[in-house]
Amino acid sequence: MPFTIATWNINSVRLRMPIVERLLKEHAPDVLCLQETKVPDELFPEKAFRKAGYEHILFHGQKGYHGVATVARRPIELVEKRRFCEIDDCRHLSVKVQAGCRSILLHNFYVPAGGDEPDPEINRKFRHKLDFVYEMNGVPASQDELSASILVGDLNIAPQEHDVWSHKQLLNVVSHTPVETQSFEAMRQTGGWVDLMRLSVPAEQKLYTWWSYRAKDWEASDRGRRLDHIWSSANLVPSFKGYEILKAARGWEKPSDHVPVIARFDLD
């Protein structure tokens, strides 16, 4: 049974609804997880998603900042809207979705960006980011014969050397500092999560999902980072059939600085 999940930091779902509709029309994922929706729940554009064929909609949002949403063409059941670091900033949503004979627990995350200064003693945003990732140790990749887990989202950390355009130049830049990448990988391993995007891609191959708005010509300079991730429990690895980074979406009209990533599974 084919099953597809897309993840995308949309940077305001209402502002960019036309390109969301384009993604849904051209690629039709079974489930779409959005981050940085920037809309309170009462103003979420449900009608537009229903018109596009996505009748099952859950969201966790606030005015102007953060926010996550999960929409689907098949039924989804709310599991949790978890509060991290004792802050109500709408960065997590988990649902259950049935795919084949498996019940999949799907986590949708928007990890704090962390500000500009990579020093938790003087930058409370960076401190918050580190604390948030530490708390993610409490999100395991639970699995058994009939269930599995998937974690997606804008995790705002590029963990490997070739997840950024220049490892040396970005070692002191938030999203690729050693304290972030080490705690991130430790958290992933502690939870038993598999980084699906690197399963069949050599460690020396560059992988990006984000290109800064600050670049005059993002495509020519190609100074990207892999900030968006798709992880799963180990029992889904045999069913994983690959993924696509939709780099072309960075050039769509009024784009996000992130692009969609779509993962494909073939589940019994």
Side-chain angles (χ1 to χ4, degrees), residues 78-93:
L78 176 64
V79 175
E80 186 178 17
K81 298 177 181 181
R82 189 176 296 196
R83 183 172 180 249
F84 283 77
C85 303
E86 298 301 316
I87 299 174
D88 294 316
D89 56 357
C90 305
R91 294 183 178 275
H92 171 264
L93 174 67

Side-chain angles (χ1 to χ4, degrees), residues 202-233:
E204 63 272 14
Q205 180 175 324
K206 296 288 189 182
L207 279 184
Y208 309 146
T209 64
W210 173 92
W211 291 264
S212 175
Y213 285 132
R214 297 176 183 175
K216 291 183 179 180
D217 188 336
W218 69 272
E219 192 168 19
S221 62
D222 200 27
R223 294 188 171 191
R225 306 179 203 178
R226 181 171 72 114
L227 303 179
D228 305 271
H229 298 264
I230 299 175
W231 298 350
S232 80
S233 51

Side-chain angles (χ1 to χ4, degrees), residues 3-189:
F3 178 65
T4 56
I5 295 179
T7 181
W8 194 4
N9 177 317
I10 195 58
N11 190 17
S12 178
V13 65
R14 289 186 293 173
L15 177 64
R16 304 189 206 284
M17 198 64 212
I19 61 174
V20 174
E21 291 169 333
R22 177 174 176 177
L23 172 75
L24 298 179
K25 181 179 180 180
E26 294 181 2
H27 297 274
D30 292 298
V31 182
L32 170 62
C33 294
L34 296 171
Q35 304 86 39
E36 206 172 356
T37 53
K38 294 183 175 179
V39 60
D41 290 350
E42 63 271 19
L43 296 180
F44 190 85
E46 292 185 71
K47 289 183 180 179
F49 282 102
R50 295 187 193 282
K51 185 177 180 181
Y54 289 75
E55 295 282 344
H56 308 281
I57 303 167
L58 289 168
F59 37 74
H60 186 200
Q62 64 185 101
K63 182 179 180 180
Y65 297 94
H66 318 134
V68 290
T70 300
V71 303
R73 297 191 295 170
R74 60 182 69 194
I76 53 177
E77 173 191 349
L78 176 64
V79 175
E80 186 178 17
K81 298 177 181 181
R82 189 176 296 196
R83 183 172 180 249
F84 283 77
C85 303
E86 298 301 316
I87 299 174
D88 294 316
D89 56 357
C90 305
R91 294 183 178 275
H92 171 264
L93 174 67
S94 60
V95 306
K96 281 189 177 178
V97 58
Q98 195 71 26
C101 65
R102 292 186 190 269
S103 174
I104 295 177
L105 176 61
L106 171 60
H107 293 277
N108 181 0
F109 269 100
Y110 177 42
V111 171
D116 295 324
E117 178 57 54
D119 184 343
E121 299 304 318
I122 63 175
N123 179 5
R124 62 178 180 82
K125 292 182 179 180
F126 194 64
R127 175 78 272 164
H128 177 39
K129 182 177 191 175
L130 298 180
D131 291 345
F132 192 102
V133 171
Y134 179 77
E135 281 196 26
M136 286 177 69
N137 279 275
V139 183
S142 57
Q143 61 177 35
D144 59 32
E145 290 184 0
L146 296 177
S147 67
S149 298
I150 295 175
L151 187 155
V152 305
D154 175 7
L155 305 187
N156 260 317
I157 294 174
Q160 297 189 25
E161 178 176 346
H162 294 288
D163 288 339
V164 295
W165 64 273
S166 173
H167 173 62
K168 290 183 179 179
Q169 293 186 65
L170 271 67
L171 275 174
N172 199 40
V173 174
V174 172
S175 79
H176 193 60
T177 65
V179 67
E180 292 173 272
T181 59
Q182 290 167 15
S183 63
F184 185 80
E185 281 295 282
M187 173 270 292
R188 183 185 64 78
Q189 293 176 23

